[in-house]
């Protein structure tokens, strides 16, 4: 196992080793977590000072959405403004992953994030395990529409917002607490993990299942690379465990492939 604990200067040998693995891979995949987006100004949800210190996660359960949709939507928009209230744009880590895909090196990005920043950076093959906050979905007819105009309607007093086609209740197109992950997205992610020659687990604490199981699946047959500031549950079995800032490590990696 290769290992570095310097967040400011990822060890060159490790970066070059991962770059060589990627260059030789037939199928390379990245799994990204909240740590990829914090440099864009999006707070981590679970860490100290994160979103769940300000908001009660129990208020964002699917059962609460069903029972109290108006109150849910009011607090949902407040939470979105707290998390995305500034000028949120892709950072160097998002751009580096998009560059790796454009170069034909990276085959897919599996993300636990719902912020839409991978797509904004130009990545095309994205598996959104937890959905995306950029859309809302009708609970009745399953029509999906952009979220921003719906958020505006909530701010103007339409609570809960309803589908313009069928009058069904609109829901954020994300996986709420108490909901199952979309089976299609999970199955696609599992297939990528099984087929990966190189699997990058990036900016994730790897604490939340079932996403946390994907690196172990990938590591059985391929090279497992962890890039995260803190140790993770799979750091001890990773082929490369880089304790590094992803906005430093990923651009350095993209520059060497």
């Amino acid at each position: 196992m290769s290992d570095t604990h310097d967040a400011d200067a990822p060890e060159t040998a490790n970066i070059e080793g991962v770059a060589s693995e990627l260059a030789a891979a037939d199928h390379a995949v990245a799994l990204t977590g909240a740590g990829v987006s914090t440099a864009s100004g999006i707070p981590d949800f679970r860490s100290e000072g994160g979103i769940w210190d300000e908001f009660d996660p129990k208020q964002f359960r699917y059962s609460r959405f069903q029972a109290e949709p108006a109150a849910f939507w009011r607090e949902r928009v407040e939470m979105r403004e707290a998390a995305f209230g500034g000028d949120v744009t892709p950072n160097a880590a998002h751009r580096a992953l998009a560059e790796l895909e454009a170069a034909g090196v990276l085959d897919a990005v599996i993300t636990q994030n719902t912020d839409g920043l991978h797509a904004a950076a130009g990545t095309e093959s994205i598996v959104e395990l937890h959905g995306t906050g950029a859309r809302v979905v009708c609970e009745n007819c399953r029509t999906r529409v952009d979220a921003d105009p719906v958020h505006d309607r909530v701010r103007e007093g339409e609570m809960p917002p309803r589908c313009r086609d069928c009058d069904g209740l609109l829901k954020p197109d994300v996986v709420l607490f108490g909901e199952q992950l979309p089976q299609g997205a999970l199955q696609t992610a599992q297939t990528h993990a099984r087929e990966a020659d190189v699997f990058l687990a990036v900016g994730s604490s790897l604490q939340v299942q079932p996403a946390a199981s994907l690196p172990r699946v990938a590591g059985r047959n391929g090279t497992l690379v962890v890039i995260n500031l803190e140790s993770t549950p799979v750091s001890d079995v990773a082929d490369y465990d880089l304790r590094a800032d992803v906005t430093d490590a990923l651009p350095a990696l993209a520059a060497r492939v």
Side-chain angles (χ1 to χ4, degrees):
M1 182 195 309
S2 297
D3 183 32
T4 179
H5 303 277
D6 187 343
D8 296 321
E11 187 178 325
T12 301
N14 283 340
I15 293 292
E16 291 181 348
V18 176
S20 296
E21 298 267 7
L22 283 171
D26 290 325
H27 194 78
V29 181
L31 169 69
T32 66
V36 171
S37 292
T38 51
S40 291
I42 299 176
D44 191 339
F45 279 72
R46 289 177 173 80
S47 64
E48 184 176 352
I51 288 295
W52 296 143
D53 278 355
E54 183 177 353
F55 295 89
D56 183 356
K58 293 179 182 178
Q59 301 305 309
F60 298 95
R61 295 188 64 82
Y62 184 56
S63 58
R64 202 269 179 126
F65 165 77
Q66 293 175 305
E68 302 176 327
F72 171 93
W73 265 108
R74 181 179 62 251
E75 291 168 20
R76 168 72 183 179
V77 169
E78 290 175 358
M79 185 268 285
R80 287 281 297 177
E81 289 173 346
F84 303 99
D87 184 18
V88 176
T89 58
N91 62 52
H94 297 109
R95 293 192 295 270
L97 290 171
E99 290 170 11
L100 287 168
E101 183 195 53
V105 174
L106 197 64
D107 293 277
V109 171
I110 304 165
T111 187
Q112 299 170 271
N113 300 336
T114 63
D115 51 46
L117 292 180
H118 286 300
T123 297
E124 296 181 357
S125 182
I126 308 170
V127 182
E128 294 170 326
L129 285 177
H130 297 158
T132 175
R135 295 189 304 264
V136 299
V137 59
C138 175
E139 288 277 270
N140 182 46
C141 70
R142 309 310 296 174
T143 295
R144 286 173 165 82
V145 297
D146 288 345
D148 285 345
V150 175
H151 294 162
D152 289 339
R153 286 159 53 189
V154 172
R155 294 185 189 97
E156 292 165 3
E158 185 185 339
M159 289 185 286
R162 293 193 171 273
C163 177
R164 293 283 168 82
D165 292 334
C166 74
D167 201 43
L169 187 61
L170 293 177
K171 170 190 167 294
D173 199 11
V174 299
V175 178
L176 301 177
F177 294 109
E179 278 193 294
Q180 296 293 317
L181 265 64
Q183 284 304 302
L186 179 57
Q187 290 170 2
T188 299
Q190 291 170 334
T191 298
H192 278 304
R194 287 193 298 268
E195 295 179 353
D197 299 308
V198 179
F199 190 95
L200 308 176
V202 183
S204 174
S205 64
L206 301 177
Q207 300 283 349
V208 179
Q209 295 291 352
S213 67
L214 296 174
R216 291 191 185 275
V217 171
R220 292 171 192 156
N221 299 308
T223 298
L224 175 59
V225 181
V226 175
I227 305 176
N228 198 52
L229 285 173
E230 306 293 336
S231 177
T232 75
V234 299
S235 289
D236 60 340
V237 297
D239 297 282
Y240 293 86
D241 180 32
L242 280 69
R243 308 286 173 79
D245 188 321
V246 294
T247 61
D248 293 329
L250 288 176
L253 183 59
R256 287 169 170 79
V257 174

